[in-house]
């Protein structure tokens, strides 16, 4: 099925099951510890345990590696290094790839700190860990480039973030009545899902099965097959439960590649989890940015010049952190200059983390909007309303937004939050020893759709089974897909069973870029549409007239039980949703507004978020329970990015020093008050038959800027060097 | 530059006997003394409900109840607990007979990926008991009058990281169970 025109009315519009606040159908398994994650599958034979040793340098080569003691240690079965690693495919970049070969232990060169240099397999975890510590490695260190600020002149335009230049920005900026020209920095950040990357690999002859923590089943299947030089059909991937991803599990790492290679050599299953202190430097992270935002406006706030430059770095061949992207679309202005420049760094690989680009780009753009509003003496909500635009500002009215309720989100949020009651000037309001301030920012995230397929089977007895490679990384896929199938076939939710995350099922969109719920639902929709036609035909009805309701298919007053049509063997249909060019014809994005109240301690400069509201317009909300939770997660990670999250670079040694959860600070219970989320009614006919858009990343896009703007409103200190830690506020008061 | 051996020697260690009662069932084990209580549960008793998020006492995913009190099972060795009893998430309830807290987590969506959840649940059981016993926390204003509040909960559960950030829903769930007097 191909989605290439605005969606006509369809059975989802009944909203009998879809849009209802069902709790998660897999919930009882999760809360009782019965949901198996990658490392937790029982095996027919005793597993062996892998342990990865990471490089102790960031840049150079291994000149000698002595594994004698490790190999002689009790229980050790195998020690792999670059000297004895079985043949693998090559890659021309040290950055692991989503769906291409990503070899490990492929040579003596060290391209980043904690790159795997050895892999020990033993009968027990304790033996493998102890033996890894017996390996002696000698390195030749060569100088590396670890400092983004020193590389900005060498940056190049990246393929994944091309320049958007319209009109004559420089002249318009020079001529503008009011301008801001501000530089922001955002640090390297870690996705840090609670489940570490983990894999169990086992071979049965030439057939490899991997249970692995991954967001997109067919990507890791393809990438692993290419890496190991085996046909894809011989690789089965299972990822039924995933303990969070936030982008890092879009790639596959040493746990997957080395477990698979070792299991083949040993003829036994190998299970490996990356130990937490390895994850920060061994796997992926969000790369740091330096951003310069220049805005030029009329005295009434109308923007004419919109400039955003981002400098970011990565290992050669890695993607950019496209922090300018939202600036292409969020506000009008006829003169635009939006550019990303990427340089080479020898830090660990940069890759996707929740809302790549927007999550950190909005910190800069929405901070700059706040400063412009202040300069103009305008309400920051009003400044945003005055620059709302209903089409892609680069392409003009010929490319409208498919739906865009930014203004409604700002107005609704302002009212619900009590924005009118905000302190008008810094340090105006005090509550005990706390300065209180309010901040606002827009929310924006490009909507993405991906092809996705599913099989739906009407079982004897009349229940329905959905099978798809789709993953549930906490996003609610199990429940949402059950709702879509129940709606389509006129069943109750508890009559639908959903099986996910197995490469034996039809290929699906997987989870990433907020495309998961909408895209995988569209795949299930396509399969259900086909099944409905088959069943109507079986019942002898015109499929166009058939109505599925109450476990029956109806034509007028006539009806047939689905259980009857299922017969003894059941009836199944498999289909896949693909897309035409509607994302080209229409700019598609989710919108919203964030409102935050903070307290800044008058003595210590400590910042506490006191309350926060996100108003979200993201098309049809398929399940308000799971969608709200996605927003809570995004808001919290956004608060983290504003106030605490930073990987600290050792600029001499080239590593992230704070590589564990004790030193890499993420928000904990005590940091997060009760948060509010409001969904606006919206249907996006151009996105899919579900009329939905992505939710999971909208929550993070902008909220950090609302925090920063609130910190300024409270304290009078503008911190543009994220995160906003108390030392920076105290320094601001000293100046 | 050299990365040198960090462990003293590769000599195998004697295995030691330990008896643990886990969720009411007695297990007699002979075990490598380096095995944490966490890995004993997960790898030896195949009770994988208890999660490993960091193995370093920094995330709370491995929280279990040891003789009724919450501990981080990654930070303690099985052989240190001969004769003691452990309750894990599997011991709180089953999918068909959920503990009131487990049920409240489902109704309030007090989780997303579910990986931190067993730790949040065991930690919540321990926390409600600590408050009931009058054990103060960092935010307790009057050390002689420990009372339940959302602030107390947030403080006491802060060792349990939820990267999915179900925090407000977890607090709502535990608060509801506390109000119903059902948390034990
Ligand atoms: S696994 Fe024990 S605290 Fe993280
Ligand atoms: S539910 Fe995913 S970490 Fe808490």
């Amino acid at each position: 099925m191909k989605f290439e025109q605005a969606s006509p009315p369809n059975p989802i519009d009944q909203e009998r099951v879809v849009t209802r606040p069902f709790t998660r159908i897999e919930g009882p398994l999760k809360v009782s510890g019965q949901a198996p994650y990658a490392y937790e599958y029982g095996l027919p034979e005793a597993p062996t345990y892998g342990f990865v040793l990471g490089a102790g340098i960031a840049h150079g080569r291994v000149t000698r590696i002595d594994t004698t003691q490790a190999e002689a240690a009790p229980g050790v079965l195998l020690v792999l290094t670059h000297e004895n690693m079985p043949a693998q495919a090559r890659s021309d970049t040290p950055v692991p790839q989503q769906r291409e070969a990503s070899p490990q232990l492929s040579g003596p060169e060290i391209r980043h700190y904690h790159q795997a240099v050895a892999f020990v397999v033993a009968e027990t975890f304790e033996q493998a860990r102890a033996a890894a510590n017996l390996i002696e490695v000698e390195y030749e260190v060569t100088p590396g480039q670890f400092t983004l600020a020193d590389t900005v002149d060498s940056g190049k335009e990246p393929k994944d973030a091309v320049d958007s230049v319209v009109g004559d920005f420089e002249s318009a900026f020079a001529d503008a009545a009011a301008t801001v020209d501000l530089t922001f920095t955002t640090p390297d950040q870690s996705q840090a899902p609670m489940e570490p990357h983990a894999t169990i690999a086992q071979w049965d002859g030439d057939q490899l099965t991997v249970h692995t923590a991954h967001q997109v089943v067919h990507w890791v299947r393809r990438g692993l097959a290419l890496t190991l030089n085996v046909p894809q059909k011989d690789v089965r991937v299972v990822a039924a439960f995933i303990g969070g991803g936030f982008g890092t599990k879009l790639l596959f790492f040493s746990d997957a590649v080395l477990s698979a290679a070792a299991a083949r050599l040993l003829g036994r299953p190998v299970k490996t989890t990356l130990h937490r202190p390895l994850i920060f430097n061994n796997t992926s992270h969000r790369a740091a940015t330096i951003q310069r935002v220049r805005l030029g406006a009329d005295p009434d706030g109308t923007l004419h010049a919109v400039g955003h430059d981002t400098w970011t770095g990565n290992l050669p061949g890695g993607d950019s952190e496209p922090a300018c992207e939202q600036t292409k679309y969020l506000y009008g202005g006829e003169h635009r200059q939006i550019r990303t420049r990427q340089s080479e760094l020898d830090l660990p690989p940069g890759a996707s983390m929740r809302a790549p680009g927007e999550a950190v780009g909005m910190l800069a753009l929405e901070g700059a909007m706040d400063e412009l509003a202040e300069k103009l003496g305008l309400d920051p909500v009003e400044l945003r309303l005055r620059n709302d635009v209903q089409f892609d500002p680069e392409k003009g009215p010929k490319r409208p937004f498919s739906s865009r309720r930014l203004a409604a989100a700002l107005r609704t949020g302002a009212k619900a939050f009590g924005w009118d009651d905000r302190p008008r000037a810094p340090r105006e309001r005090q509550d005990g020893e706390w300065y209180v301030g309010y901040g606002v920012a827009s929310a924006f995230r490009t909507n993405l759709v991906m092809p996705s397929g599913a099989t739906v089977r009407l079982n004897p007895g009349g229940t329905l089974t959905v099978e798809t490679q789709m993953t549930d990384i906490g996003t609610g896929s199990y429940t949402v897909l059950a709702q879509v199938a129940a709606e389509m076939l006129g069943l109750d939710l508890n009559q639908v069973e959903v099986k996910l995350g197995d490469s034996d099922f039809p290929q699906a969109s997987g989870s990433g870029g907020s495309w998961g719920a909408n895209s995988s639902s569209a795949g299930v929709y396509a399969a259900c549409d086909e099944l409905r036609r088959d069943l109507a035909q079986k019942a002898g009805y015109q499929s166009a007239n058939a109505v599925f309701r109450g476990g029956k298919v109806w034509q007028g007053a006539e009806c047939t039980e689905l259980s009857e049509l299922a017969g003894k063997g059941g009836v199944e249909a498999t289909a896949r949703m693909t897309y035409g060019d509607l994302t080209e014809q229409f700019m598609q994005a989710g919108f919203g507004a964030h409102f935050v109240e903070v307290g800044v301690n008058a003595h210590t400069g400590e910042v506490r978020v006191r309350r926060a509201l996100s108003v979200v317009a993201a098309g049809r909300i398929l399940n308000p329970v799971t969608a709200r939770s996605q927003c809570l997660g995004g808001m919290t990670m956004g608060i983290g990015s504003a106030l605490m999250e930073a990987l600290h670079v050792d600029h001499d040694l080239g590593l992230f020093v704070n590589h564990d959860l004790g030193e890499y600070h993420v928000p904990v219970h005590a940091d997060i008050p009760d948060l509010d989320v409001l969904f606006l009614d919206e249907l996006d006919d151009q996105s899919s038959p579900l009329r939905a858009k992505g939710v999971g990343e909208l929550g993070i896009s902008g909220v950090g800027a609302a925090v920063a703007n609130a910190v300024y409103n409270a304290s009078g200190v503008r911190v543009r060097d994220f995160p906003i830690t108390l030392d920076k506020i105290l320094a601001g008061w000293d100046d | 530059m050299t990365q040198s051996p960090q462990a003293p020697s590769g000599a195998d260690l004697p295995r030691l006997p330990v008896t643990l009662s886990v969720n009411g069932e007695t297990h007699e084990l002979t075990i490598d003394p380096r095995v944490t209580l966490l890995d004993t549960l997960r790898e030896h008793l195949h009770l994988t409900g208890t999660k490993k998020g960091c193995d370093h006492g920094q995330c709370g995913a491995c929280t279990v109840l040891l003789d009724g009190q919450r501990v981080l099972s990654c930070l303690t060795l099985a052989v240190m607990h001969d004769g003691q009893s452990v309750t894990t998430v599997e011991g709180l309830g089953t999918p068909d007979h959920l503990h009131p807290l487990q049920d409240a987590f489902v109704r309030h969506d007090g989780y997303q990926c579910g990986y931190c959840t067993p730790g949040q649940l065991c930690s919540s059981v321990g926390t409600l008991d600590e408050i009931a016993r009058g054990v103060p926390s960092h935010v307790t204003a009057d050390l002689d009058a420990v009372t339940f509040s959302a602030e107390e909960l947030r403080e006491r559960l802060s060792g349990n990281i939820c990267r999915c950030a179900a925090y407000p829903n977890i607090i709502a769930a535990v608060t509801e169970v506390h109000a119903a007097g059902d948390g034990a």
Side-chain angles (χ1 to χ4, degrees), chain B residues 14 22 41 46 112:
Chain B
V22 181
L41 295 167
H46 308 293
Q112 291 172 43

Side-chain angles (χ1 to χ4, degrees), chain B residues 65-82:
Chain B
L65 299 160
L66 184 66
D67 288 340
Q69 296 206 38
R70 55 187 177 146
V71 297
L72 298 175
S73 62
C74 71
L75 281 191
T76 191
L77 302 169
V79 293
M80 296 159 67
H81 301 291
D82 191 38

